[in-house]
Amino acid sequence: MSNWYAVYCKPQQDARAEKHLRNQSYEVFRPLVRVRRRYGARIRQIIESMFPRYLFIRLDELMDWAPIRSTCGVANLVRMGAYVPQVPETVIGEIRQRVDCENCINIDYDDSYRVNDRVRITEGPLAGYEALFEKFSGKERVTVLLEIMNKAQHLVLSEHAIECA
């Protein structure tokens, strides 16, 4: 009977551990997330591990687990003393339902801006004006509320065209 277990990886080597475990014919699941990160004035979308330094592996209780510990990138199986706890199949199933074809989960928020935050427009004909952030409106687009001639206008701009005021 096979069950899921958590593998603890060496720092920044979970992708390497996944690759080498797959090469040894283990069934491995490493969920990824697409997130937006701010780098200076730019916001970029990156893919990273949902659980940094961890991945899941399906193992038969009768297998020899020793090769796992000596796999490149693997530190050890997650243990509680001498006991290696199982990860419930329902947990893996719930995560798998949320991933796309690239094994990624989209994180639809960016904590760099919140509704009604004051932002400054940095590009285009309205550069220098201040507005209120409303929402993210598609890939690398934002909607802001700008007051022009005592009337509020909704504008859709590039994410890169605004900064915190």
Side-chain angles (χ1 to χ4, degrees), residues 119-133:
V119 295
R120 183 176 299 108
I121 300 171
T122 59
E123 297 175 8
L126 299 172
Y129 282 93
E130 286 192 8
L132 294 177
F133 177 81

Side-chain angles (χ1 to χ4, degrees), residues 21-154:
L21 288 168
R22 285 188 193 283
N23 287 343
Q24 295 175 57
S25 300
Y26 288 107
E27 184 180 352
V28 179
F29 179 53
R30 182 174 66 102
L32 305 171
V33 290
R34 255 185 220 97
V35 293
R36 296 178 190 168
R37 293 275 186 249
R38 179 177 284 279
Y39 296 96
R42 299 269 179 202
I43 296 175
R44 296 216 171 103
Q45 189 174 61
I46 62 169
I47 296 174
E48 60 185 26
S49 289
M50 183 176 196
F51 306 108
R53 295 190 70 181
Y54 293 91
L55 55 86
F56 303 104
I57 187 168
R58 186 185 289 275
L59 298 171
D60 188 340
E61 292 178 13
L62 302 176
M63 286 178 156
D64 178 19
W65 295 5
I68 295 167
R69 290 190 308 272
S70 62
T71 300
C72 291
V74 172
N76 209 337
L77 287 163
V78 173
R79 297 176 181 276
M80 295 178 162
Y83 174 67
V84 180
Q86 298 175 6
V87 177
E89 184 78 38
T90 54
V91 171
I92 302 297
E94 286 289 325
I95 297 170
R96 279 196 160 154
Q97 285 179 352
R98 291 176 170 78
V99 299
D100 61 18
C101 61
E102 294 175 319
N103 216 27
C104 284
I105 297 173
N106 286 313
I107 303 296
D108 293 327
Y109 65 88
D110 183 343
D111 57 3
S112 58
Y113 300 111
R114 302 221 186 282
V115 175
N116 292 328
D117 278 355
R118 287 197 112 7
V119 295
R120 183 176 299 108
I121 300 171
T122 59
E123 297 175 8
L126 299 172
Y129 282 93
E130 286 192 8
L132 294 177
F133 177 81
E134 280 196 313
K135 64 180 179 179
F136 286 96
S137 43
K139 188 175 183 179
E140 297 185 15
R141 309 296 291 169
V142 294
T143 301
V144 297
L145 188 62
L146 178 66
E147 191 171 314
I148 300 176
M149 296 188 300
N150 294 326
K151 186 171 182 187
Q153 297 291 321
H154 298 274

